[in-house]
Amino acid sequence: DGGGSAGGGGNGGGGGEARGGARSGKAVRSLPARDHWEGERARYVWRTGCGQLRCETESPPPVEGHGAESGGGPLFWWRETAAEVVLTARTRRGIDLSSLRLDAREASLDLEVDGIPSPWSGALCGRALPAGCSAAVLPPAQGCEADHSLLQLTVAKADEGPSARYWRAPFRDLLPLVEARERLAEHAPRGSLLHTPDSGWQSGQTSDVFEVLMPLSADVSTVEDADRLLRVAVTARSVSVHVAGQPDAPLLAGETHGKLLVGGCSWRLARSKVRGWRGEPLQQLELHLAKDTASAGPGGHWPDLFSTEYS
């Protein structure tokens, strides 16, 4: 996540480049995001360069009665990378690998322990690669009391496209938990995250890419800040950049003038050319939107990024 600026170009794939200010100057209608953003259909995009993200829950361990005695800390947690989601839970000491039965499919997964269905079952938040999924029994972490073992489930992602999908949770029935925690988190107001709240982004396009640059305030000075605070999601005809837990009050969102190749969209954090009010270096969000050129206008040109903005 080094420095540099994306400018207004894309991947250099043909066509001229159009640059401009935050908006084209044309009147664009605005609709409330609460009523029109289809978040349940959107693909959340993994930040380019992100190593892993971790989440935990106080849900029961995979099988009732197999959990260790209360010793503090979460019983159930997961970490996500661009390639996989790995779930871990404390379970009874001495459980054998032969006690586990894993049935992994592209859209769902079921894990049984001693023939008992576990809560680690159901519809997945993305597409899995069944051959890459596995379950294992591990010893407790070094330095921890050995009164339990660890049950680990690895779900390999199979989402297509050059950019990874951010699942946010392994199973769909865990998404409400994640979203509730994001809503309750004491995040900064959306306006304070932008360096210039009234005109907080610039854009440029080539025949096959629309790129957006959004200078951020000092509240987003590290990649950890970005991963904690920012969410980027796309559908075939819309995009939303919002604070975690605040999709109804986006930093940038709307219906695009043309179709997007959802699997080709990505974003990263990079050093901005803009300086802060006290001269401090700032970061910017660089959003790379891949156009579906088959549906674009002459030369792949769009008159603007949005035909309708969400606010």
Side-chain angles (χ1 to χ4, degrees):
D1 292 296
S5 175
N11 57 12
E17 180 180 343
R19 292 177 178 267
R23 292 161 178 80
S24 67
K26 299 178 182 178
V28 178
R29 68 171 181 164
S30 179
L31 296 173
R34 179 184 299 274
D35 299 328
H36 294 274
W37 167 244
E38 298 179 311
E40 67 281 355
R41 296 179 53 246
R43 174 189 176 118
Y44 279 74
V45 184
W46 187 261
R47 178 181 61 79
T48 300
C50 179
Q52 69 174 21
L53 299 174
R54 188 179 188 276
C55 188
E56 62 188 36
T57 174
E58 296 178 358
S59 297
V63 178
E64 186 176 355
H66 284 268
E69 294 300 320
S70 177
L75 294 176
F76 173 15
W77 62 95
W78 68 85
R79 60 178 176 84
E80 180 174 356
T81 71
E84 64 186 14
V85 182
V86 180
L87 301 88
T88 306
R90 292 183 293 173
T91 189
R92 62 176 170 83
R93 184 180 179 183
I95 190 171
D96 191 81
L97 185 61
S98 61
S99 302
L100 309 182
R101 180 181 178 276
L102 176 63
D103 182 13
R105 300 170 295 279
E106 185 178 90
S108 62
L109 179 148
D110 294 293
L111 176 66
E112 292 183 358
V113 181
D114 290 334
I116 304 173
S118 79
W120 285 356
S121 302
L124 298 167
C125 288
R127 293 175 56 247
L129 186 64
C133 299
S134 62
V137 179
L138 307 175
Q142 187 174 6
C144 297
E145 295 183 9
D147 61 346
H148 64 276
S149 295
L150 295 176
L151 180 62
Q152 187 172 90
L153 172 64
T154 299
V155 184
K157 295 181 180 179
D159 298 296
E160 297 177 353
S163 63
R165 178 173 188 157
Y166 178 24
W167 286 22
R168 299 190 294 158
F171 296 100
R172 289 184 185 177
D173 61 4
L174 290 174
L175 272 178
L177 168 71
V178 173
E179 292 172 346
R181 288 190 172 184
E182 288 183 344
R183 286 193 301 269
L184 293 173
E186 295 182 358
H187 293 324
R190 60 170 177 160
S192 70
L193 300 185
L194 298 177
H195 177 58
T196 50
D198 293 333
S199 56
W201 55 275
Q202 294 185 325
S203 63
Q205 62 177 306
T206 64
S207 61
D208 53 1
V209 170
F210 219 113
E211 288 210 345
V212 177
L213 307 182
M214 182 183 296
L216 301 168
S217 74
D219 287 336
V220 190
S221 59
T222 67
V223 291
E224 290 79 15
D225 292 335
D227 292 335
R228 176 173 55 88
L229 292 170
L230 300 176
R231 297 291 180 265
V232 176
V234 294
T235 72
R237 290 303 297 260
S238 60
V239 59
S240 174
V241 180
H242 58 267
V243 177
Q246 301 178 30
D248 295 340
L251 302 171
L252 172 151
E255 299 171 15
T256 55
H257 263 284
K259 288 185 178 180
L260 297 172
L261 297 176
V262 175
C265 298
S266 62
W267 72 282
R268 71 177 189 132
L269 196 69
R271 188 171 297 113
S272 175
K273 294 180 179 179
V274 177
R275 308 289 289 189
W277 306 119
R278 295 180 297 276
E280 70 274 19
L282 297 177
Q283 302 289 334
Q284 68 183 10
L285 185 152
E286 298 183 352
L287 178 60
H288 175 104
L289 299 172
K291 298 178 182 177
D292 182 350
T293 55
S295 65
H301 181 79
W302 292 359
D304 204 341
L305 173 58
F306 293 132
S307 58
T308 301
E309 291 187 355
Y310 298 152
S311 58

